[in-house]
Amino acid sequence: MAFAPLGELLDESLELPIAERTYTVPAPNAEIGLRTQAIVHAAAVAADGGKVDEQVLSDAAERDLYRDLLGPAYDEMVADAVPWPALKHCALTAMVWVAQDKAAAERFWNAAGDPSRLAPNRAARRSRSGGANSTRNQGSTSGTSTHPAPPRAKAAAKRRK
């Protein structure tokens, strides 16, 4: 069995629908992908209160990141006067795609980037996981039992005899 050409195995673009048009975002080149990964990692470290590599999150490093991530779709969106929130959502979706995978990018897109819409609410999580309920668990049914220990006074008296 030989390796199949990688282009046949990977879906290397995002199709992002905005209004009546769908914009195609091609996969970024390796340099942009690696830079995006570094920025996402640095942002996560910063969010956790860790020390951040200032060079990675500098203005120069972030400059044109949206343009780089969206590729030719960026210029098309600007020419079509796509509203800023939509362009930003497209770029962030592409960032999730690069940093994670296409399924994560789709979840991010469909949640409109709202973290509270990404995770199901507490009631839904509990209903799926069989969460807490009011029924007590049955005790051990292994068939073994323990005999109560004799009171200490009786045991001590027996030893003295």
Side-chain angles (χ1 to χ4, degrees):
M1 180 169 160
F3 287 98
L6 196 55
E8 295 175 11
L9 302 174
L10 299 177
D11 186 2
E12 297 186 5
S13 66
L14 291 179
E15 300 293 324
L16 303 178
I18 302 174
E20 304 85 38
R21 179 150 182 213
T22 298
Y23 295 89
T24 300
V25 178
N29 65 35
E31 179 184 351
I32 294 167
L34 291 169
R35 182 164 46 103
T36 301
Q37 289 277 356
I39 289 171
V40 169
H41 175 72
V45 168
D48 286 342
K51 184 169 168 60
V52 178
D53 181 349
E54 298 293 329
Q55 190 173 7
V56 172
L57 289 181
S58 71
D59 289 339
E62 291 186 87
R63 186 179 311 129
D64 297 326
L65 181 62
Y66 287 4
R67 178 186 300 272
D68 290 343
L69 282 168
L70 296 173
Y74 178 91
D75 291 327
E76 294 169 13
M77 289 178 196
V78 170
D80 291 345
V82 167
W84 167 246
L87 188 141
K88 180 180 176 182
H89 186 60
C90 289
L92 293 176
T93 298
M95 188 178 293
V96 170
W97 174 45
V98 170
Q100 294 179 34
D101 57 30
K102 197 167 193 173
E106 186 176 335
R107 287 190 304 274
F108 181 85
W109 177 269
N110 290 332
D114 182 353
S116 68
R117 292 175 59 190
L118 285 170
N121 66 32
R122 183 177 178 169
R125 286 192 312 266
R126 284 187 170 214
S127 69
R128 280 198 311 266
S129 69
N133 62 38
S134 60
T135 305
R136 294 185 57 162
N137 289 338
Q138 184 177 5
S140 172
T141 58
S142 66
T144 61
S145 63
T146 58
H147 297 288
R152 289 183 188 246
K154 287 183 182 178
K158 286 183 181 179
R159 280 189 292 233
R160 280 189 232 137
K161 290 183 180 181

